Structures are given as C-alpha cells and as structure tokens.
Amino acid sequence: MVHDFSEVHNHEMVESEHQQFMTVNPHLDDVHLKFILDCSKANIEPTLTFKVLKETLGGFDLVGCTVGDIRNASRDIKAYAHGFDVQMVLDDMAKKKKMSGSYTYHYEVNENNQLVALFWCDGLMKRNYHMFGDIVAFDTTYNTNRRFVECMGIAPKMIVTDQDNGMRSTIEEVLVGTRHRWCMWHIMHKLSTKIPNRLLRDEAFKKEFSACVWSDLLKPDEFEEEWKRVVESHGLEDFDWFNSLYEHKHFWIPAYFRDFPLGSMIRTTSISESENSFYKRFLKPRANIAEFYMIFNHAVEFQRNSRTALDYHDATALPILATTLPFEKHASTLYTDTMFRKIQVEIIEGNDRCRVLGFSSTEFVDTYKLGDSNRKSYLEQ
C-alpha cells in the first residue's frame, strides 16, 4: 500500500540495464579490494583489471563497479600507505626475518629519519650467490653501489665495473681478496670518441685492435708485443687515452685474467640492460616503496618459477645426439639444453676435422687423445 506520494521531487525510473551506472549502486566489497590489490602487485592497470573481472564474473552488469571505481580504489590504497609505506616494508621484512634466520635486511636513515638505503635478500638469493657469485657486475652509474658492496658480506672472486676509480678503492677496502676488472664493453664503446676519424673508417685497424684486446689466447708478453705493433703501425703513440689504457692493462686485458675462465668477457652493460628489461615488465615508474616491494617480490617469484620450468625441461628432455662420440653423450648430461646445442655445434665441427685416438680417466680428470687431419695428436682434459 502507498501511504504517501509527493511529486515535488521525483525522477524518471531507470532502465534495469542502466542500473550499473548509478552512483548509488557501485560498491567495492572486500573481495573487489583484494582482487584490485593482487592485480596491482602484478602491475595490471585498472582498465585491464576491470576486463578480467568482467570475464571472470560473466558480464559488465555483474562486475559491480566501473573502471573509475577501480582507479579510485587503487588511488585510495596508495594514499592510505602514504607516509607509512617504508614502515610497512620494514615490518614485513622484520616478520620474514623472524620466520627465517636466513633472511637478511639492512637499512639506513638520515638525520630526519628518512630512509636513504635499503638492502635485503632471502635464503634462496644467498644460495644462488654462493653457487653463481664468482663474478658480480656493477652499473656504477648509480651512486649507491658502495652500500651494496658493504652489505654483500661475502666477497665474490671478481667484480666487473666500468672505469670507476671510486669503486676500485671501495672494492679494495671492503672486499679484500676480490679481483676487480673493467668492463670491456665500456672501453670499446669509448673507442669511437678517442681515435682519429681516419681510423674509424679503417676496417683493418678495427680488426687488429679487437684481435689484440679481446683474445684470451694471448699470453701477457704476446699481448704487449701485439699492442706495441698496433699502436706504432697506426701512429697512436702520443694519444694519452691509449697510453692510460696500457698502464692499466691488468684491469681489462684478457691476457691477465687467463686463470679466471670467461671472466674477461663479462659485459656489465648487457647484463644491466637485461635485468632492467625484465623488471620494467613489472615495475611502475611512480610506485611508492611499498608498491615497489610487492611488485618486486612478484617479479622474483615469476623469475623463479620460470627457472623451475627450465630445470624440469632439462631434467626430462633427451637431446638428439649428432655423433657416436662418447664425450658428446657425456656433455649432454652436464650442460643445459640450450648450452648443449651450442657445444654440439663445436663437437660436430671438430668431428669433421679430428678423431678420438684414446681415452683415460682418473678420479678427477678425463683425458682424451685427439688426432687431426695432419696426423698431429693432442691431449685434452
């Protein structure tokens, strides 16, 4: 029964399909907020979040909100954390430290109690560093690497940077016993700005110079002889940059790192760019530290899951052998599938030019006797 009716303030009735757009109807409950937060961790922006909700729930009218509502909710979540984001991150790290003794975090604040440096790593990161931390590459264009070096605690066998004297003194002071070398890429990149224009167009010079500085087959005395020949033949004796490079040859020439396999070929820029490219898929440019922390953890989980998938592939895949050579079959059990394919190419090429004459084995070393087409023999371990 209608007890009272007033026409003074009234509106036309809204069609049922338009109800979802009325301001009194949209309502973000806890489920919505949790979903929006989870999407934010995965760096999924509001429009795509709305599309996922629509497909999950079965239609626009069942979502219960608009793209604007989701965008406003993301803004409110960020505003709620403003001023507390650093403490939220530190509280979470403290909780993880309490749950696992292998978790480590260090932070520094300034005189205004503002965060200026933060370092953390979990048990798996530490284990990976123990297993693969022979070489650590630094992008020294960022000016806080000293703090990172001090927080590492365990010295790697080698650290690769560009020509940074400050970093060199830091390494010598903090990581005693660690060898420091310069990144070859940075040196070669500067070459075009240091040599005369006539040499930039000289392909013979480029080949000779590259063969001299890149080769890990040359011994130190052989390198010095070749360097002197290249410099004199192209009139570079009076160039200070070349003379300075020669004075610091122990920091970058492979001939002086022959006892450290592959260390001389590390390119810090390519490593840094590879990491940057990966994390750019997840990170937001204006994220506060709490958002960054959540998104970073999601990125690490993604990376670790990808590695686990690759481990499964290597454990179950059976590579197709190209020869009947025993050491090809042995190599297939030692290397990952991708690396074995590269080595297999060398084995095939070698098999066309040489043959196995004999094999012997001790507890630690396998020795092969090889013969080439010129009837020369070699011992390979």
Side-chain angles (χ1 to χ4, degrees), residues 50 93 139 308:
F50 179 83
M93 290 181 175
D139 178 3
T308 302

Side-chain angles (χ1 to χ4, degrees), residues 117-289:
L118 176 62
F119 170 86
W120 75 94
C121 61
D122 58 26
L124 183 55
M125 292 175 182
K126 290 182 178 180
R127 189 174 71 180
N128 289 340
Y129 178 76
H130 275 286
M131 295 178 66
F132 306 108
D134 290 345
I135 302 175
V136 175
F138 280 96
D139 178 3
T140 54
T141 57
Y142 190 63
N143 62 5
T144 58
N145 284 315
R146 178 185 177 90
R147 290 192 179 96
F148 177 76
V149 170
E150 292 171 341
C151 289
M152 286 171 64
I154 303 171
K157 295 179 181 178
M158 180 183 291
I159 284 184
V160 185
T161 72
D162 61 7
Q163 294 162 268
D164 187 299
N165 292 327
M167 178 58 70
R168 184 173 69 188
S169 61
T170 298
I171 294 169
E172 293 173 352
E173 176 186 342
V174 179
L175 301 178
V176 179
T178 295
R179 296 176 63 181
H180 174 216
R181 65 157 288 110
W182 291 343
C183 173
M184 182 72 78
W185 186 91
H186 283 95
I187 294 174
M188 299 301 288
H189 184 67
K190 293 178 182 178
L191 184 65
S192 60
T193 64
K194 301 295 183 178
I195 63 175
N197 289 332
R198 60 180 174 80
L199 292 180
L200 288 176
R201 299 184 295 270
D202 191 336
E203 293 299 327
F205 166 76
K206 294 179 182 178
K207 291 180 180 179
E208 290 176 20
F209 186 77
S210 295
C212 174
V213 301
W214 276 107
S215 176
D216 57 351
L217 299 177
L218 296 177
K219 296 179 181 179
D221 56 340
E222 294 172 331
F223 157 75
E224 295 193 19
E225 182 179 338
E226 183 64 15
W227 174 275
K228 182 179 180 181
R229 187 194 66 78
V230 172
V231 169
E232 290 180 352
S233 63
H234 294 281
L236 297 170
E237 298 94 332
D238 298 328
F239 281 81
D240 293 338
W241 186 70
F242 274 88
N243 294 331
S244 176
L245 284 181
Y246 181 75
E247 291 175 4
H248 295 89
K249 56 184 178 293
H250 292 85
F251 287 104
W252 65 286
I253 292 298
Y256 298 95
F257 292 89
R258 288 168 60 87
D259 58 328
F260 200 100
L262 299 182
S264 60
M265 301 304 172
I266 285 291
R267 302 185 183 190
T268 57
T269 299
S270 59
I271 293 175
S272 297
E273 289 304 316
S274 175
E275 287 297 294
N276 291 342
S277 175
F278 170 77
Y279 285 109
K280 279 180 181 177
R281 294 160 49 194
F282 299 90
L283 300 180
K284 299 176 181 178
R286 290 182 295 275
N288 60 40
I289 193 169

